[in-house]
Amino acid sequence: MQKVASLPLPSADALGASAALSTAIADAIAASGGWIGFDRYMSLALYAPRLGYYSGGAAKFGRDAGDGSDFITAPELTPFFARTLARQFAPLLGTDLREVMEFGAGTGRLAADLLLALEAEGALPDAYRIVELSGELRVRQQQTLAERAPHLSDRVTWLDTLPERFEGVVVGNEVLDAMPVRLFARAGGQWHERGVARDGDGFAYEDRPLDPAAIPAALQAVPGNHDVVTETHAEAEGFVRAVGAMLARGAAFFIDYGFPSSEYYHPQRVGGTLMCHYRHHAHPDPFLYPGLQDITAHVNFSGLAEAAVDAGLAVSGFASQARFLMNAGITDLMMSLDPSDARAFLPQANAVQKLLSEAEMGELFKVIALTRGLDEALPLAGFARGDRSFAL
Ligand SMILES: C[S@@+](CC[C@H](N)C(=O)[O-])C[C@H]1O[C@@H](n2cnc3c(N)ncnc32)[C@H](O)[C@@H]1O
């Protein structure tokens, strides 16, 4: 595919790392007879040791391309995101649940701000465990905690593998969208798996016809016979099953962009949801600068709910991010700020507006809560109004 001429050029070092990763991907393609599934490409591009986007040195999170970053997430936008989650978590942690486990903690902002907010709510967990695939991010998380919440950082530990059993609150913001997806293309009524082959010095899509018996069950939800490209999410669903097997008692909250299956596989969504982020430009080319850009797909929340139920969890809520944050009290929390202090108030008000606005993150982002063994007298406030679990 064409490189996007208008995008900022990476540094020479970054281009060198990208070339090394491209060689590793080319080797993987050669070892597999000239073709790999897109999920394998995405896994290498994001997580290959030292060279993948999340394992390597890219700045990733930040406000704009000027700081070399590629995107911004809710915990980076404003501490009011973490403070509102703390409102939802505090009553749970006030029972005999005493631990939090965060998946994919990014820069560590959510961990630091959540711990500070839970301390303020009188519901400090005994332990805050982080599961992070990237060694580079683990170091950034340690730095952020040391800077923002030094007196609480000794409660934080990093896990290399999931414990067999966990009781507490689990949270993951924008983690599921970073899990590798398989791509499928239906053309002329025939399903193909869309994989990756060499193309000169780079890579290109190559579609291979699928035997009817090999068509994933999720694709039965794609109506009609029209041409379409879409994704399936076996890895994210397997991840939810693993969380389900581990969560002996408590609640898991996942926040991400996506839809229920009926919307995901709606006849009008013909191009799928794969999206790449490079220096705050969103574009569809996953072969641009491998290892230097993020690659994501929207989440199919129905598939996750099904995986959760298979693992014995209950789906206790599904709502838009705006609904969830408002139900959990974000507007009350904002009242702690003095609107006449424009320098403090306006940046936070703008950031909260971004979290809530339908045109930005409020509607596309959803929150799902998966629980086991929770006291029914403890309803989850975040879903008090506008729960859409029925749509899953
Ligand atoms: C888009 S970033 C989001 C980071 C952070 N939660 C935030 O909101 O800023 C995705 C994160 O998910 C992590 N990740 C992806 N798959 C994971 C898995 N199976 N277990 C734990 N972390 C994972 C990545 O390493 C990365 O830190």
Side-chain angles (χ1 to χ4, degrees), residues 329-377:
I330 198 167
T331 36
D332 296 348
L333 285 169
M334 284 296 287
M335 294 214 219
S336 65
L337 290 179
D338 174 5
S340 66
D341 179 359
R343 274 169 66 103
F345 182 77
L346 286 180
Q348 295 306 327
N350 285 340
V352 168
Q353 167 67 10
K354 195 163 179 169
L355 297 182
L356 299 181
S357 156
E358 273 195 20
E360 303 220 40
M361 299 168 75
E363 173 57 31
L364 179 61
F365 280 68
K366 311 288 190 308
V367 185
I368 193 167
L370 309 170
T371 66
R372 189 195 304 273
L374 278 194
D375 181 353
E376 295 202 348

Side-chain angles (χ1 to χ4, degrees), residues 47 54 61 71 73 75 103-106 131-133 137 173-175 178-179 239:
Y47 303 109
Y54 282 109
F61 314 87
F71 57 85
T73 57
F103 285 93
V131 183
E132 174 58 66
L133 300 181
L137 286 177
N173 185 62
E174 288 204 43
V175 175
M179 296 194 182
F239 167 82

Side-chain angles (χ1 to χ4, degrees), residues 46-47 53-55 60-61 71-76 81 102-110 130-135 137 141 162 171-180 235 239 255-257 294 296:
L46 297 183
Y47 303 109
Y53 180 71
Y54 282 109
S55 347
K60 303 179 259 287
F61 314 87
F71 57 85
I72 188 158
T73 57
E76 303 288 324
F81 181 73
E102 181 180 359
F103 285 93
T107 64
R109 266 305 282 271
L110 182 62
I130 294 181
V131 183
E132 174 58 66
L133 300 181
S134 153
L137 286 177
Q141 290 156 15
L162 292 192
V171 63
N173 185 62
E174 288 204 43
V175 175
L176 298 161
D177 70 81
M179 296 194 182
E235 182 144 341
F239 167 82
I255 305 128
D256 226 309
Y257 37 91
D294 195 17
T296 79

Side-chain angles (χ1 to χ4, degrees), residues 277-318:
H277 298 273
Y278 175 72
R279 307 287 175 90
H280 297 265
H281 295 271
H283 70 88
D285 180 1
F287 306 126
L288 177 76
Y289 306 136
L292 305 186
Q293 64 164 353
D294 195 17
I295 306 175
T296 79
H298 287 34
V299 169
N300 174 4
F301 282 99
S302 302
L304 297 185
E306 224 170 274
V309 169
D310 277 355
L313 298 179
V315 178
S316 297
F318 174 63

Side-chain angles (χ1 to χ4, degrees), residues 36-325:
I36 53 174
F38 186 79
D39 51 342
R40 176 115 168 85
Y41 175 84
M42 185 166 166
S43 171
L44 289 167
L46 297 183
Y47 303 109
R50 292 182 314 283
L51 297 172
Y53 180 71
Y54 282 109
S55 347
K60 303 179 259 287
F61 314 87
R63 290 206 171 258
D64 53 51
D67 58 18
S69 66
D70 303 304
F71 57 85
I72 188 158
T73 57
E76 303 288 324
L77 268 173
T78 168
F80 282 92
F81 181 73
R83 288 177 195 163
T84 312
L85 286 179
R87 279 271 179 110
Q88 170 68 93
F89 297 173
L92 299 170
L93 292 166
T95 64
D96 54 340
L97 299 173
R98 305 292 324 150
E99 298 197 5
V100 174
M101 183 183 294
E102 181 180 359
F103 285 93
T107 64
R109 266 305 282 271
L110 182 62
D113 291 348
L114 249 181
L115 280 166
L116 291 169
L118 287 169
E119 182 183 40
E121 300 265 349
L124 202 52
D126 294 341
Y128 193 105
R129 310 199 183 279
I130 294 181
V131 183
E132 174 58 66
L133 300 181
S134 153
E136 191 262 338
L137 286 177
R138 203 184 264 217
V139 173
R140 276 167 81 174
Q141 290 156 15
Q142 283 158 348
Q143 286 164 350
T144 303
L145 282 154
E147 280 160 24
R148 291 183 75 84
H151 62 297
L152 300 175
S153 57
D154 61 349
R155 283 169 201 258
V156 184
T157 50
W158 282 261
L159 301 178
D160 292 318
T161 51
L162 292 192
E164 250 174 55
R165 186 187 156 79
F166 178 78
E167 295 195 0
V169 174
V170 172
V171 63
N173 185 62
E174 288 204 43
V175 175
L176 298 161
D177 70 81
M179 296 194 182
V181 291
R182 287 173 78 190
L183 291 187
F184 295 91
R186 184 171 63 193
Q190 159 79 48
W191 279 110
H192 301 73
E193 177 153 10
R194 174 159 288 190
V196 179
R198 299 287 308 271
D199 179 29
D201 287 342
F203 306 104
Y205 287 131
E206 190 178 295
D207 294 349
R208 294 198 160 174
L210 270 182
D211 213 58
I215 299 171
L219 296 182
Q220 284 162 10
V222 186
N225 213 23
H226 57 285
D227 290 359
V228 61
V229 175
T230 190
E231 305 90 27
T232 63
H233 306 75
E235 182 144 341
E237 289 159 15
F239 167 82
V240 165
R241 269 188 217 99
V243 169
M246 170 192 80
L247 188 65
R249 209 160 55 82
F253 295 83
F254 293 105
I255 305 128
D256 226 309
Y257 37 91
F259 326 97
S261 185
S262 55
E263 255 180 272
Y264 202 100
Y265 296 125
H266 191 278
Q268 281 168 2
R269 192 181 309 286
V270 292
T273 69
L274 195 79
M275 192 53 66
C276 306
H277 298 273
Y278 175 72
R279 307 287 175 90
H280 297 265
H281 295 271
H283 70 88
D285 180 1
F287 306 126
L288 177 76
Y289 306 136
L292 305 186
Q293 64 164 353
D294 195 17
I295 306 175
T296 79
H298 287 34
V299 169
N300 174 4
F301 282 99
S302 302
L304 297 185
E306 224 170 274
V309 169
D310 277 355
L313 298 179
V315 178
S316 297
F318 174 63
S320 69
Q321 174 171 287
R323 270 290 179 183
F324 177 88
L325 293 176

